[in-house]
Amino acid sequence: MNNLNINSYIGKNDGDTLSAAQWNSLFTDIQSKINEMVPKASGNCFYVNGVVTSPTNGVISLPAGSTYTLEGTLNGQVVIDAQTQPTANTIVHLKGVNIITDFASGIKYLTPTVNTGFMDLVINLERDTINNFVCNTVATIADNQEACLYSMNNMVVQGVGYLTCVNKGGHGIKASELRITGPHIYVEASHDAIHGSSILDLDCGTFFINKANDAFGTGDGGTINIFGGTYYAYNIIENVFDG
């Protein structure tokens, strides 16, 4: 990803306006880089808090309630294990991550049942870093599907980095209550691009959705709150906003 030129997109203020063509150009380049990367990524060079960490049966399992910085390429999945109640949020800094997986999700916040009231997962995209998630397993649309970034409880996605989520068998980003503020996000998904089962808060990010069932969705009776941001949605099968 080092050869990808994103300089013209960095340092933009909330009031700046970029055309759909400009964003499309950027994310076309990102997708091309992903397509180049996936067949070559046969090994792992993945860092957790600066230490090379190898998966076991494709999974890197981390206890909930701590702070982590993730970097590098992983063929597999990161599971944040909150089977027992953590006393603090789990904060994950993404600092140039490429996760390519045949699992249903790239990063999964695991709790005993969905929406158990546990502490939140906070995903922070480090400034100007590019972070890519590709879930390769094709599946028919179902309401209980996971996502490239998936929390069984609540999740916050924040920061001023770049995030690409491509999921051939589920959602792009999904949580029970989901708040996104700040980043530049590109999503392709077979189901919803961005899904908050009960609440979806969207604020001051740039969202480029290119192919999804719903671009932004909730479960039955869910609420979408839009506080700001710039939105592009193309090739949507059902609804841009479904909540």
Side-chain angles (χ1 to χ4, degrees):
M1 302 298 292
N2 292 334
N3 295 325
L4 181 61
N5 181 13
I6 63 172
N7 291 332
S8 61
Y9 302 88
I10 290 174
K12 296 298 181 183
N13 298 317
D14 288 344
D16 290 341
T17 299
L18 294 176
S19 68
Q22 287 174 299
W23 283 113
N24 192 40
S25 175
L26 170 65
F27 288 116
T28 296
D29 289 344
I30 290 176
Q31 184 62 63
S32 295
K33 292 296 180 182
I34 292 173
N35 293 340
E36 293 173 8
M37 176 181 63
V38 171
K40 298 176 183 178
S42 58
N44 295 291
C45 187
F46 197 73
Y47 297 82
V48 178
N49 292 342
V51 178
V52 175
T53 304
S54 299
T56 300
N57 297 323
V59 176
I60 293 176
S61 185
L62 303 173
S66 297
T67 297
Y68 302 101
T69 297
L70 306 183
E71 302 174 79
T73 297
L74 172 66
N75 284 264
Q77 180 186 49
V78 175
V79 174
I80 310 294
D81 191 345
Q83 290 293 299
T84 57
Q85 171 75 338
T87 58
N89 291 339
T90 302
I91 301 173
V92 177
H93 298 279
L94 299 184
K95 198 176 178 180
V97 167
N98 301 300
I99 293 182
I100 304 97
T101 185
D102 291 327
F103 288 97
S105 54
I107 292 181
K108 179 177 181 177
Y109 186 67
L110 178 65
T111 59
T113 58
V114 174
N115 194 20
T116 54
F118 276 31
M119 305 299 289
D120 295 348
L121 173 64
V122 179
I123 301 290
N124 185 63
L125 301 165
E126 293 288 311
R127 178 175 292 276
D128 301 339
T129 62
I130 300 173
N131 304 277
N132 304 302
F133 292 79
V134 181
C135 294
N136 279 317
T137 299
V138 176
T140 303
I141 290 176
D143 288 341
N144 64 349
Q145 283 178 321
E146 298 181 12
C148 293
L149 291 181
Y150 174 58
S151 172
M152 294 176 67
N153 194 55
N154 302 332
M155 179 165 58
V156 176
V157 181
Q158 64 184 24
V160 285
Y162 295 78
L163 173 64
T164 297
C165 293
V166 177
N167 195 339
K168 300 176 183 178
H171 302 272
I173 304 170
K174 181 182 180 181
S176 178
E177 295 182 10
L178 176 60
R179 179 176 177 83
I180 301 178
T181 175
H184 304 80
I185 294 177
Y186 173 91
V187 181
E188 294 180 18
S190 65
H191 205 337
D192 293 350
I194 298 175
H195 184 95
S197 298
S198 58
I199 296 175
L200 176 57
D201 288 345
L202 304 169
D203 189 8
C204 70
T206 298
F207 303 87
F208 192 103
I209 312 302
N210 181 27
K211 191 174 69 172
N213 188 60
D214 294 324
F216 305 91
T218 69
D220 293 339
T223 301
I224 299 175
N225 299 305
I226 301 174
F227 302 99
T230 303
Y231 300 84
Y232 303 98
Y234 300 91
N235 303 311
I236 306 304
I237 296 172
E238 292 194 7
N239 302 295
V240 175
F241 295 100
D242 182 23

